[in-house]
Amino acid sequence: MALLGYVVGAFLSLNAIKLAYQSRLSLQQQMATLGCLQGQLLKALCLEVALLSIVAATLGNLIGVVMANAMMGDISAVLGSFYKLDRALTVQFNAWLVLLGSLLNLAILAGFVMLQTQLAQRLSRWLTPGLLLIACIGGPLMLYFAQTKWQALLLCVCVLLLFFALTPSVVRQVFRVRWPTRSPLLSWLRADSLTQLPALLSSVLAILMAMGAAIGMQVMVGSFSSALDAHLQTRLNADLYVRPDEPTSQMRLALADMSEVEQVGVYWSAQSEITVGNEDIPATIMSFGEDYSYHQHLTLLNKQPLEAAHLASTNEQLSCLINEPGMRRYALKAGSILEIKQGPRAFHCKVRGVFYDYGEPGINLVVSSSVIVQQAFLYEAVGFMLTLQDGVNSERIADAISQRWSLAGHQLIHNRVFKRFAKQLFSQTFLVTHALNLCIMLIALFGVWVSFLTLGRQQLHPMAVLQTLGVTQWQLFALKLCQAALILGMTLLLAVPLGILLGWVLLEYVMPIAFGWSMAMVLSWGDILGFCAVILLLALVVSAIPLLKLIRRNVADNVAQL
């Protein structure tokens, strides 16, 4: 998302430089008449942009630090829950980021200056075919051979290049096709739109990029949320979780003897290492009971039923399950023989199955509790998982257990409370994603506003002519707003398939490679179309503000400023 933010900023920076250059064409002509060379004018523009780049990068860094520190509370809470982080995180001002932002603007300025040469203008006609060629060759290659995070991100780049190449042509085609009308005003609208599109192209591509990224992340988060809901329904299936300070076997037997309790599982956790190639990888050994009946809350890949053979152990062979990240990130699979070590102790086990484990990027192994005891591994007993008889009130049982063993309220967790806490915790992990999406969209909308504001002066002559011919101010406003709606609407329409493709790449490549999680893509068309409608409305509002300023001028004022 940060990389996409830089790309959107680069397009808007190019748009600002281009508009600043075009808005001063008359001034440049006057300076050229007075003997000032074009090279000197470009040097003055370069100096101006360089100074503004340093100021803008510094302000952007300061605003980013304030926003990041405002979100650090929730991020620290998530890291504390998952990884036992014992300190608060803070973000400091970074001068290197200021330098990076300034260099990015200067690189864009250098590219703009190069585009002013005749050779670059002749080569620009090959830009669209070049982008299409790169996307059509690089996309299939990355589709079949992507194995690392950078290769997966390159696949995202190929998708973006494809839409960058197609969007300008598609938007222009809207105004080139014959419209089923002979209205002179609509004919003027078509011609004027084709004139304005080159100046608006950078803002159009920035909106396309921002919307595509936002929809892609929306698809990914929605799919993850759907998979997580289904995962939690099976993973957290116990009715009551008991976490005493010192879980003992005597307490477990006493809980099992209660007539209201059907089954008492455990949660044991042992830190260990496994050897993968020539490297020792940290791994967590978990157990929920003596046999497979205590592990039915685990969901195996392809929805396979968990059977006794998956955890059966003999003197010759021990069995275990491995989580999905262990399979995808370390190429461990069913049938692999693992060497598990904890200090001087070690044993070998055969992987009998792979289970889903959303939220855990590391390796988790599941064995029967007897294996941990027999191998004399050190482990932490966290607590018990109680499955109650049908119709039993968990609140009443919790009160009885609390009184008998003097447990505090936080040591007895009901199923619904545990699920709510888990979902809330995972929702917080996407807080930064939503914040970055919002910032990128606001920046893109600001770019649209700047484009229409800067292009306002170029509209004085045609609007003065139309007003002289009898076109009213509100007719002009309706025409220009219709023009903005067509351009922005077509851009958002193209952003929908772009976002869905980006979401698919994130789910099929980035997530499995980076985190080891796989999930089905879930499309919520209501949310996607509603989001597009809101953004289109906001874009029309920001584009209408400069138009209102223009239409309020009378003919004399417009002619006077020509």
Side-chain angles (χ1 to χ4, degrees):
M1 287 303 299
L3 180 61
L4 291 176
Y6 275 112
V7 176
V8 172
F11 273 107
L12 295 179
S13 178
L14 175 62
N15 186 60
I17 293 172
K18 183 168 62 175
L19 291 175
Y21 182 79
Q22 291 179 347
S23 63
R24 300 175 184 177
L25 286 177
S26 60
L27 178 61
Q28 292 178 33
Q29 293 173 356
Q30 295 174 4
M31 297 292 291
T33 304
L34 295 175
C36 185
L37 300 177
Q38 185 179 12
Q40 293 175 321
L41 294 175
L42 285 176
K43 289 180 181 179
L45 180 63
C46 292
L47 179 60
E48 177 186 3
V49 172
L51 294 175
L52 290 176
S53 296
I54 297 174
V55 175
T58 303
L59 290 177
N61 201 330
L62 289 173
I63 295 173
V65 168
V66 172
M67 293 177 60
N69 284 317
M71 294 184 289
M72 275 301 149
D74 290 327
I75 295 174
S76 298
V78 173
L79 294 177
S81 300
F82 282 133
Y83 307 110
K84 309 301 180 185
L85 183 71
D86 57 355
R87 59 188 178 88
L89 298 177
T90 57
V91 178
Q92 304 294 331
F93 182 85
N94 192 336
W96 287 108
L97 292 179
V98 176
L99 179 62
L100 177 62
S102 302
L103 290 177
L104 178 64
N105 281 327
L106 292 177
I108 294 167
L109 176 61
F112 175 78
V113 173
M114 291 178 59
L115 288 175
Q116 305 309 306
T117 62
Q118 293 183 354
L119 177 61
Q121 290 176 359
R122 285 197 297 267
L123 293 176
S124 63
R125 70 184 64 180
W126 298 101
L127 180 61
T128 297
L131 292 178
L132 281 174
L133 183 63
I134 294 173
C136 292
I137 294 177
L141 287 176
M142 292 298 102
L143 198 64
Y144 288 103
F145 298 108
Q147 298 293 331
T148 65
K149 288 183 284 188
W150 288 108
Q151 290 171 343
L153 290 176
L154 282 177
L155 181 56
C156 292
V157 171
C158 291
V159 173
L160 291 172
L161 290 178
L162 176 63
F163 278 82
F164 284 168
L166 295 177
T167 297
S169 300
V170 172
V171 175
R172 275 194 294 265
Q173 196 63 27
V174 173
F175 300 101
R176 283 178 176 172
V177 298
R178 184 180 298 276
W179 289 6
T181 179
R182 295 184 178 180
S183 171
L185 288 180
L186 292 180
S187 298
W188 174 86
L189 175 64
R190 289 177 56 201
D192 182 70
S193 300
L194 292 173
T195 304
Q196 299 299 323
L197 274 177
L200 291 172
L201 183 59
S202 299
S203 292
V204 166
L205 293 179
I207 283 283
L208 177 74
M209 164 78 78
M211 278 296 297
I215 293 175
M217 293 305 299
Q218 188 176 359
V219 170
M220 188 200 74
V221 172
S223 301
F224 185 82
S225 179
S226 177
L228 180 64
D229 286 340
H231 177 68
L232 292 179
Q233 291 299 322
T234 56
R235 190 65 175 266
L236 303 178
N237 67 338
D239 298 301
L240 188 64
Y241 296 87
V242 182
R243 303 184 64 175
D245 294 330
E246 295 183 6
T248 61
S249 57
Q250 292 81 5
M251 183 176 180
R252 184 186 180 190
L253 291 174
L255 290 170
D257 287 338
M258 298 177 67
S259 59
E260 299 87 352
V261 177
E262 178 180 338
Q263 188 182 69
V264 180
V266 299
Y267 176 45
W268 292 0
S269 174
Q271 301 303 316
S272 61
E273 293 180 337
I274 63 172
T275 302
V276 179
N278 297 323
E279 185 180 2
D280 289 336
I281 306 297
T284 300
I285 304 175
M286 303 186 302
S287 181
F288 303 99
E290 291 77 11
D291 55 48
Y292 80 102
S293 63
Y294 292 93
H295 299 81
Q296 291 299 313
H297 59 290
L298 299 178
T299 304
L300 300 184
L301 261 62
N302 300 322
K303 308 298 181 181
Q304 296 178 358
L306 182 62
E307 300 174 345
H310 286 105
L311 291 173
S313 298
T314 64
N315 293 331
E316 294 79 18
Q317 187 71 66
L318 301 179
S319 300
C320 64
L321 301 174
I322 192 169
N323 64 348
E324 188 183 14
M327 180 194 73
R328 298 191 180 278
R329 300 183 66 190
Y330 300 98
L332 303 173
K333 56 185 179 180
S336 300
I337 304 297
L338 305 180
E339 181 185 5
I340 305 174
K341 298 181 293 185
Q342 188 188 71
R345 306 175 184 86
F347 68 92
H348 292 79
C349 74
K350 184 175 183 179
V351 177
R352 299 288 186 179
V354 182
F355 63 94
Y356 291 105
D357 199 12
Y358 297 122
E360 179 54 63
I363 298 178
N364 283 342
L365 301 171
V366 172
V367 299
S368 64
S369 57
S370 58
V371 172
I372 297 178
V373 174
Q374 291 169 4
Q375 301 301 321
F377 270 39
L378 300 177
Y379 66 91
E380 178 187 6
V382 179
F384 306 108
M385 303 182 300
L386 275 60
T387 302
L388 306 179
Q389 300 286 353
D390 293 339
V392 175
N393 190 328
S394 62
E395 297 283 352
R396 183 172 59 83
I397 297 301
D399 291 339
I401 295 173
S402 176
Q403 293 176 6
R404 181 173 176 179
W405 280 281
S406 301
L407 300 179
H410 68 274
Q411 294 178 295
L412 293 162
I413 307 173
H414 297 272
N415 179 283
R416 63 181 184 277
V417 176
F418 209 162
K419 288 179 180 177
R420 184 172 65 247
F421 173 74
K423 291 179 67 174
Q424 180 181 1
L425 201 59
F426 278 102
S427 297
Q428 289 176 331
T429 62
F430 293 106
L431 177 64
V432 177
T433 301
H434 294 310
L436 286 174
N437 271 335
L438 178 62
C439 290
I440 292 174
M441 284 307 309
L442 290 177
I443 293 170
L445 290 174
F446 178 76
V448 172
W449 175 73
V450 170
S451 297
F452 279 93
L453 182 65
T454 308
L455 289 172
R457 182 173 177 80
Q458 300 178 16
Q459 296 292 298
L460 292 177
H461 183 275
M463 293 181 75
V465 173
L466 289 175
Q467 285 181 325
T468 305
L469 295 175
V471 179
T472 65
Q473 292 178 334
W474 289 108
Q475 283 179 317
L476 282 175
F477 177 74
L479 283 172
K480 298 301 292 182
L481 195 61
C482 181
Q483 179 187 67
L486 286 173
I487 296 173
L488 296 173
M490 182 55 63
T491 304
L492 296 183
L493 191 62
L494 291 171
V496 172
L498 170 60
I500 293 175
L501 278 176
L502 287 176
W504 178 79
V505 173
L506 290 172
L507 291 172
E508 291 293 325
Y509 290 89
V510 177
M511 291 281 278
I513 292 173
F515 302 103
W517 308 330
S518 65
M519 61 199 69
M521 185 170 71
V522 178
L523 296 178
S524 177
W525 287 107
D527 293 340
I528 293 174
L529 296 179
F531 179 64
C532 290
V534 171
I535 295 301
L536 178 60
L537 179 62
L538 292 176
L540 289 178
V541 169
V542 298
S543 61
I545 295 174
L547 296 178
L548 286 172
K549 183 179 179 181
L550 284 177
I551 66 166
R552 287 176 179 173
R553 294 177 176 272
N554 56 38
V555 178
D557 292 335
N558 286 345
V559 173
Q561 293 194 19
L562 294 180

